[in-house]
Amino acid sequence: EVLAGKVTSIQRFANVLLRKDRCDLTMPLGKDDIIADSLNEVIRESAAAQTIKSILGKGAVLYELSCLISDPGSQRQNMHPDTPFLEGKGPVLYTCFIALQDIQLDMGPTTWLPGTHTAEAHDAFQDGFSSGGKESRKDELIRTRPAVLGVLPKGCCAIFDSRCLHCGTANRSSDESRALFYFSFKNPQVGYPGNPASIRPEIGNAQISMEDLEDDLALYSRGKGHPLIDRIGESLR
């Protein structure tokens, strides 16, 4: 569609760090049942939604729905948080990455630095000053924090606080792309979380709550359709 000039790139792809050989393809809803089937499995038939709901509540709002793809040759991203630490706001956004294939070490798995979602970690991360041969607080933080690699089996997921420092590593495989289907839910008490959403505008504007999505998928699982998803699908360009 983009190559044919039917839609602009921003209508199908979100911004992503280091775009060469890497893209963030926003997902539709209601155009077919592939996405509905996927969401039904992860939202209603796994512990993923319950985990996020236990932190953000049933009113948590769907903020992102996309697929992150890194092809062979994609380079390592800089370490970064997806959202800043917002004083007094508590958890802002939780993201669920789902591996669409086995992710091996050479395919550029995500690296996380657990525990870096805090004000103290973000303060250190913003301090890149160094003098007298002494490393900066930022460099010390990245060097000393234990890291976790997202070498996930196909169908498994990783759920993380969007304030946690992380990065996609280099895909050094010869012919294996890494694809992650993902969604994020936002704290309903927070307005703009500090990072643009990777989501089709029509879906983001619908402000779908976790509770409403679960109810719609429950109808779908009983063979009664998904009126909410269908209504959004009709609005997609």
Side-chain angles (χ1 to χ4, degrees), residues 144-155:
T144 59
R145 284 282 181 165
V148 173
L149 276 175
V151 281
L152 301 171
K154 180 179 179 180

Side-chain angles (χ1 to χ4, degrees), residues 99-158:
L100 298 185
Q101 68 292 293
D102 292 339
I103 300 177
Q104 307 297 334
L105 191 60
D106 64 348
M107 293 168 62
T110 305
T111 295
W112 287 276
L113 301 184
T116 56
H117 62 291
T118 64
E120 293 78 13
H122 277 234
D123 184 62
F125 185 70
Q126 295 298 324
D127 186 359
F129 178 75
S130 63
S131 63
K134 184 179 180 180
E135 69 180 343
S136 66
R137 293 174 65 207
K138 176 180 180 178
D139 289 341
E140 181 183 14
L141 173 73
I142 294 173
R143 178 178 60 82
T144 59
R145 284 282 181 165
V148 173
L149 276 175
V151 281
L152 301 171
K154 180 179 179 180
C156 287
C157 75

Side-chain angles (χ1 to χ4, degrees), residues 196-214:
S198 295
I199 195 168
R200 299 279 181 96
E202 300 87 351
I203 302 174
N205 292 338
Q207 294 288 288
I208 306 169
S209 71
M210 175 76 81
E211 182 177 32
D212 288 344
L213 183 57
E214 285 181 313

Side-chain angles (χ1 to χ4, degrees), residues 87-102:
E87 192 65 43
K89 296 296 186 181
V92 173
L93 198 73
Y94 270 82
T95 300
C96 179
F97 279 177
I98 303 165
L100 298 185
Q101 68 292 293
D102 292 339

